Amino acid sequence: MNWKSALFLNLYFVRVLVLTGAGVSAESGIPTFRGKDGYWRNLDPTKLAAPEAFARDPQLVWDWYLERRQRIRHAQPNAAHEAIARLAHHADEFLLVTQNVDDLHARAGIPAEKMVQIHGDIFVTRCSSCDFWYLGRGGLPEPPGGGRLRSIAPTFDDHVDLPRCPDCNALMRPGVVWFGEQLPWNEVQRVENFLDRGACDVVIVAGTTATFGYIVDWALRASRNGADLIEVNPEETPLSRFATRLLREPAAIALPRIVHELIT
Ligand code: OAD
């Protein structure tokens, strides 16, 4: 008996891992990193999302993140985010690992305990030197309660003051993982714990180029016992050759259909 029939007869415990990337938010109007819309002021996003870029020109990097925050605040979850949230509610054990720093999965209804934002959260602002951080959905790097943040004087009229840490006076930065930086240890542990507790029945990888080894590794480890490994991506990726099912379609089209198949 396969897991779908067993599930139907309530004999089975279903574990699902979903890995997502920028392509899942593309249809909400958020440009992907490596897509043709990704460039900002003629700059390559993969170069802006880097500690060297922040060291060289923190104002430029903040401007880019402020625009991205604004776009995300005005965006709505699409049918792909909603389908994944439906799956999260139906599976016995579920984990979403997203590389997206937007909040569209959360706004579609995935609870925090079922989601790992492995590249951080764009609405977090944290100190570039110490552990101080805060979360806020405002457009500017706004001060936390009590106005503890100090800022340096603006150099141009149209520039936002760069916020400084109230504890150590270093520059504050967006709370995201940049190229070459370590992944957040606690979040990696959450993924590892989920994988250690057992193999999955279904693994879905959607909207990511899967350029990072850990994404490929997690997808393969989760599907090690013959799980369905479903890839949703209009283009080929390093994971495509391992997939048991390839859907070369936009995520907002393919995911509602797959989730409907899985839960009915
Ligand atoms: P990318 O921008 O590299 O890739 C987007 C992927 O989505 C590509 O494989 C596209 O083919 C696919 N895609 C585009 N539109 C789609 C759609 N409508 N439906 C489904 N798929 C679609 O984004 P990621 O793979 O997420 O990291 O990039 C991973 C990481 O690289 C980001 O988190 C960021 C970036 O640099 C850091 O900043 C560390």
Side-chain angles (χ1 to χ4, degrees):
M1 186 183 311
N2 70 20
W3 69 265
K4 277 188 209 164
S5 346
L7 173 66
F8 185 71
L9 295 170
N10 276 334
L11 295 172
Y12 204 78
F13 190 71
V14 176
R15 305 188 86 230
V16 179
L17 176 70
V18 178
L19 295 148
T20 64
V24 163
S25 294
E27 286 150 279
S28 294
I30 313 295
T32 61
F33 272 79
R34 295 175 181 83
K36 58 179 175 356
D37 303 328
Y39 272 65
W40 176 80
R41 297 189 194 165
N42 260 343
L43 298 167
D44 179 350
T46 59
K47 303 252 161 44
L48 284 167
E52 299 78 20
F54 189 72
R56 203 169 39 241
D57 193 344
Q59 182 75 66
L60 179 77
V61 173
W62 261 121
D63 285 350
W64 181 55
Y65 277 99
L66 291 177
E67 265 190 48
R68 279 165 61 88
R69 281 184 178 179
Q70 166 121 332
R71 196 184 270 262
I72 292 164
R73 273 198 311 275
H74 291 126
Q76 295 305 322
N78 65 50
H81 298 106
E82 280 156 14
I84 295 168
R86 248 189 334 276
L87 188 55
H89 289 297
H90 278 80
D92 296 303
E93 268 206 60
F94 177 95
L95 189 68
L96 166 68
V97 180
T98 185
Q99 296 159 86
N100 298 344
V101 297
D102 65 49
D103 59 357
L104 297 178
H105 280 302
R107 281 201 268 144
I110 304 241
E113 68 275 11
K114 293 188 180 181
M115 173 167 64
V116 169
Q117 279 189 291
I118 201 67
H119 290 167
D121 177 343
I122 196 168
F123 294 111
V124 167
T125 300
R126 69 175 174 84
C127 178
S128 55
S129 177
C130 75
D131 290 338
F132 181 80
W133 66 277
Y134 66 94
L135 175 67
R137 293 192 80 254
L140 304 178
E142 58 202 337
R148 291 178 67 213
L149 278 188
R150 286 191 297 280
S151 51
I152 57 175
T155 45
F156 300 102
D157 286 349
D158 57 346
H159 276 189
V160 171
D161 295 358
L162 290 176
R164 291 216 170 248
C165 176
D167 287 347
C168 74
N169 207 39
L171 280 177
M172 297 295 282
R173 55 165 278 182
V176 299
V177 176
W178 284 331
F179 282 100
E181 292 187 320
Q182 300 243 318
L183 296 177
W185 190 84
N186 285 348
E187 301 304 290
V188 171
Q189 275 319 112
R190 289 180 60 208
V191 183
E192 292 293 333
N193 291 343
F194 184 82
L195 295 178
D196 286 349
R197 283 202 301 275
C200 293
D201 304 294
V202 182
V203 180
I204 300 176
V205 184
T208 177
T209 42
T211 35
F212 295 114
Y214 44 88
I215 297 297
V216 174
D217 178 54
W218 288 335
L220 295 182
R221 277 166 59 202
S223 56
R224 63 190 179 267
N225 282 2
D228 287 337
L229 174 54
I230 304 170
E231 182 177 69
V232 179
N233 198 316
E235 289 174 21
E236 190 168 338
T237 80
L239 268 173
S240 303
R241 67 194 176 100
F242 301 105
T244 53
R245 203 166 157 194
L246 283 172
L247 294 139
R248 298 265 175 254
E249 288 173 289
I253 307 273
L255 278 170
R257 195 175 68 243
I258 296 168
V259 169
H260 182 75
E261 277 173 28
L262 290 174
I263 66 180
T264 50

